[in-house]
């Protein structure tokens, strides 16, 4: 699989950030409890924005100002390292990566890992998780059925530690990478990012048994055709490693149903060079037999798309904005191609277009 192995930090004008912050401020009502929760929600909304670093910095400062004085010292201890908030430290690590200062980036990310261990570990009563949004939350509850209650961490430690694990793989520190990536999975069991990176670790460690278990666990939570395709591609890689070339061909072709991948052509040529047999598209029964052979369910997990559809229906019932409804409908339709979902999708896309034109 051709992986995009870099971390981006984009910059736009200060005017754009100022406009966003001014719009956010309109939602404050003077009640400190409400305003803190509101700002935390806004931080989640904008965490993937191209100017996320600056927006999150301002939102953190606004939130900090609302906290009672006696709690500020505790927050300074738990949310800062080396004079920087943890999100700022992560952005700094990104800067080091851009400057090709990999060891400095890894050192700073290692500090974030230690800080997370010290201040954001599970307790006997509760789990501390970095679930990113309601979809994460409900998929987690549906699939993992946790016995303990959970609280949300103020930072996305799953993402931070995934980035650290990636750097450790690049530095060929595979055992340490495996430990860090498992922590990233612990913080968010429904985030595919650290699981894909863990699969890469098992590839270079030549641990096929660990690899296939990792792939199976990732398939349970995959929520896009791309993620499913990547899992099937990894299954093909696994089968090549154990010399089951016929099954590898099945998995590679099945991967192409979900997402295009030019690299698969090279993989199929590699198999042909080993087996000296012409590669032909497998019959459907051959594909299904390969899935059964390795105890892998073919297709997306119904629990995932049922959760997405339920959230779409909830948003419709609550008269939420069309963009929020579309987010869940697109996930559902991409996984199911259900014509009834397509009708809803078309309807709310038209509504979103009309609102944009007003």
């Amino acid at each position: 699989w051709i992986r995009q192995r870099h971390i981006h930090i984009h910059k736009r004008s200060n005017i754009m950030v100022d406009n966003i912050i001014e719009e956010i401020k309109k939602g404050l009502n003077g009640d400190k409890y409400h305003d803190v929760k509101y700002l935390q929600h806004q931080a989640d909304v904008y965490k993937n924005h191209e100017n996320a670093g600056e927006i999150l910095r301002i939102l953190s400062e606004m939130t900090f100002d609302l906290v009672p004085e006696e709690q500020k010292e505790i927050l300074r201890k738990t949310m800062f390292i080396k004079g920087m908030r943890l999100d700022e430290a992560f952005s700094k690590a990104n800067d080091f990566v851009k400057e090709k200062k990999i060891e400095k980036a890894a050192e700073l990310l290692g500090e974030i890992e230690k800080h997370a261990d010290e201040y954001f570990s599970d307790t006997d009563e509760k789990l501390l998780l970095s679930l990113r949004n309601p979809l994460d939350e409900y998929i987690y509850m549906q699939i993992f059925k946790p016995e303990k209650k959970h609280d949300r961490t103020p930072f996305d430690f799953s993402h931070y530690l995934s980035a650290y694990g990636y750097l450790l793989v690049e530095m060929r520190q595979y055992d340490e990478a495996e430990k860090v990536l498992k922590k990233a999975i612990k913080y968010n069991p429904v985030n595919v990012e650290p699981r894909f990176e863990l699969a890469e670790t098992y590839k270079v460690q030549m641990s096929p048994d660990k690899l296939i278990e990792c792939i199976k666990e990732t398939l349970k939570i995959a929520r896009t055709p791309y993620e499913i395709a990547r899992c099937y591609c990894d299954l093909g890689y696994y089968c090549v490693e154990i010399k089951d070339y016929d099954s590898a061909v099945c998995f590679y072709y099945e991967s192409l149903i979900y997402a295009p991948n030019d690299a698969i052509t090279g993989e199929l040529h590699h198999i042909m060079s080993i087996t000296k047999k012409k590669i032909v598209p497998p019959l459907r029964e051959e594909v299904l037999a390969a899935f059964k052979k390795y105890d892998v369910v073919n297709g997306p997990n119904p629990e995932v798309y049922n959760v997405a559809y339920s959230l779409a229906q909830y948003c419709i019932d609550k008269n939420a904005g069309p963009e929020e409804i579309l987010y869940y409908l697109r996930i559902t339709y991409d996984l199911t191609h259900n014509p009834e979902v397509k009708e809803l999708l078309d309807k709310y896309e038209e509504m979103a277009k009309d609102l944009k034109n007003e």
Side-chain angles (χ1 to χ4, degrees):
W1 196 269
I2 301 171
R3 300 188 301 150
Q4 300 301 315
R5 306 186 59 103
H6 47 71
I7 306 170
H8 290 292
I9 297 178
H10 301 279
K11 294 182 179 179
R12 278 193 180 177
S13 68
N14 291 332
I15 295 174
M16 173 178 287
V17 174
D18 291 343
N19 289 341
I20 289 171
I21 296 302
E22 287 305 311
E23 191 64 29
I24 289 172
K25 285 180 179 179
K26 294 177 183 178
L28 300 171
N29 67 8
D31 180 289
K32 287 189 176 182
Y33 180 79
H34 166 272
D35 289 349
V36 167
K37 291 290 185 183
Y38 169 73
L39 290 173
Q40 288 174 339
H41 174 69
Q42 292 303 308
D44 185 60
V45 170
Y46 287 99
K47 71 178 182 180
N48 292 321
H49 190 274
E50 56 190 331
N51 241 5
E54 181 64 10
I55 294 169
L56 294 179
R57 181 188 67 76
I58 295 170
L59 292 180
S60 293
E61 290 175 356
M62 292 168 63
T63 305
F64 191 77
D65 289 340
L66 293 169
V67 173
E69 196 61 41
E70 62 272 14
Q71 294 182 17
K72 287 185 177 178
E73 188 55 39
I74 297 173
L75 286 178
R76 289 189 185 97
K77 182 183 291 186
T78 59
M79 300 178 74
F80 287 73
I81 59 171
K82 297 182 178 293
M84 298 178 284
R85 282 187 322 279
L86 290 173
D87 55 334
E88 292 177 320
F90 182 68
S91 291
K92 183 65 175 176
N94 287 342
D95 289 338
F96 283 142
V97 171
K98 289 173 61 181
E99 296 163 6
K100 302 191 184 303
K101 298 176 181 177
I102 303 302
E103 290 186 359
K104 281 191 173 183
E107 181 182 351
L108 188 50
L109 290 171
E111 291 293 326
I112 292 176
E113 180 202 6
K114 292 175 186 175
H115 199 84
D117 288 344
E118 183 172 359
Y119 293 106
F120 297 97
S121 292
D122 298 336
T123 67
D124 292 337
E125 295 78 28
K126 288 186 177 180
L127 304 173
L128 283 177
L129 303 177
S130 299
L131 302 173
R132 298 162 295 186
N133 49 47
L135 187 60
D136 273 8
E137 183 99 20
Y138 285 102
I139 290 176
Y140 167 70
M141 299 293 288
Q142 177 66 31
I143 292 178
F144 291 89
K145 297 177 173 55
E147 295 181 1
K148 282 186 179 182
K149 293 182 179 180
H150 62 270
D151 280 336
R152 189 172 179 179
T153 60
F155 304 101
D156 191 348
F157 290 119
S158 182
H159 179 56
Y160 294 178
L161 296 181
S162 294
Y164 184 31
Y166 158 68
L167 288 184
L168 290 169
V169 172
E170 293 297 292
M171 297 166 70
R172 301 186 180 182
Q173 298 180 26
Y174 304 124
D175 291 340
E176 186 61 28
E178 182 178 358
K179 293 176 186 176
V180 169
L181 291 167
K182 285 181 175 179
K183 286 183 185 180
I185 292 169
K186 194 283 298 178
Y187 277 111
N188 187 350
V190 298
N191 180 9
V192 297
E193 180 185 3
R195 293 182 187 273
F196 281 138
E197 205 60 58
L198 190 60
E200 297 302 316
T201 304
Y202 292 146
K203 288 178 186 178
V204 295
Q205 287 179 313
M206 298 183 187
S207 301
D209 291 344
K210 288 183 178 181
L211 174 60
I212 192 168
E213 286 308 310
C214 182
I215 297 167
K216 288 180 179 181
E217 291 301 309
T218 308
L219 274 169
K220 290 178 185 177
I221 60 171
R223 67 184 70 174
T224 69
Y226 167 85
E227 292 170 0
I228 294 171
R230 182 164 176 176
C231 287
Y232 291 169
C233 198
D234 281 348
L235 281 170
Y237 179 96
Y238 164 80
C239 287
V240 170
E241 290 299 292
I242 64 168
K243 297 179 172 53
D244 182 0
Y245 302 113
D246 289 340
S247 294
V249 170
C250 290
F251 289 129
Y252 280 134
Y253 270 99
E254 192 73 359
S255 174
L256 292 172
I257 292 175
Y258 288 86
N261 182 358
D262 293 339
I264 286 179
T265 301
E267 296 298 326
L268 294 174
H269 278 298
H270 174 60
I271 292 172
M272 189 166 60
S273 70
I274 295 171
T275 62
K276 309 302 181 186
K277 294 192 303 184
K278 183 181 178 180
I279 302 295
V280 296
L283 299 174
R284 192 65 196 160
E285 54 264 33
E286 292 174 328
V287 171
L288 295 178
F291 276 87
K292 185 176 181 180
K293 180 177 182 178
Y294 290 101
D295 193 26
V296 177
V297 177
N298 179 254
N301 184 351
E303 291 180 299
V304 171
Y305 59 73
N306 284 336
V307 166
Y309 187 65
S310 295
L311 285 169
Q313 288 290 351
Y314 175 81
C315 290
I316 291 170
D317 292 342
K318 295 296 181 181
N319 293 315
E323 284 301 332
E324 187 173 3
I325 295 168
L326 284 170
Y327 172 71
Y328 299 119
L329 287 177
R330 284 169 182 148
I331 290 172
T332 307
Y333 182 70
D334 284 347
L335 293 177
T336 65
H337 293 285
N338 184 305
E340 293 180 7
V341 176
K342 183 66 166 64
E343 287 182 15
L344 283 173
L345 188 59
D346 291 343
K347 172 184 174 181
Y348 284 97
E349 282 181 341
E350 192 64 33
M351 286 177 60
K353 189 186 299 182
D354 290 343
L355 283 172
K356 191 174 183 180
N357 292 333
E358 287 179 0

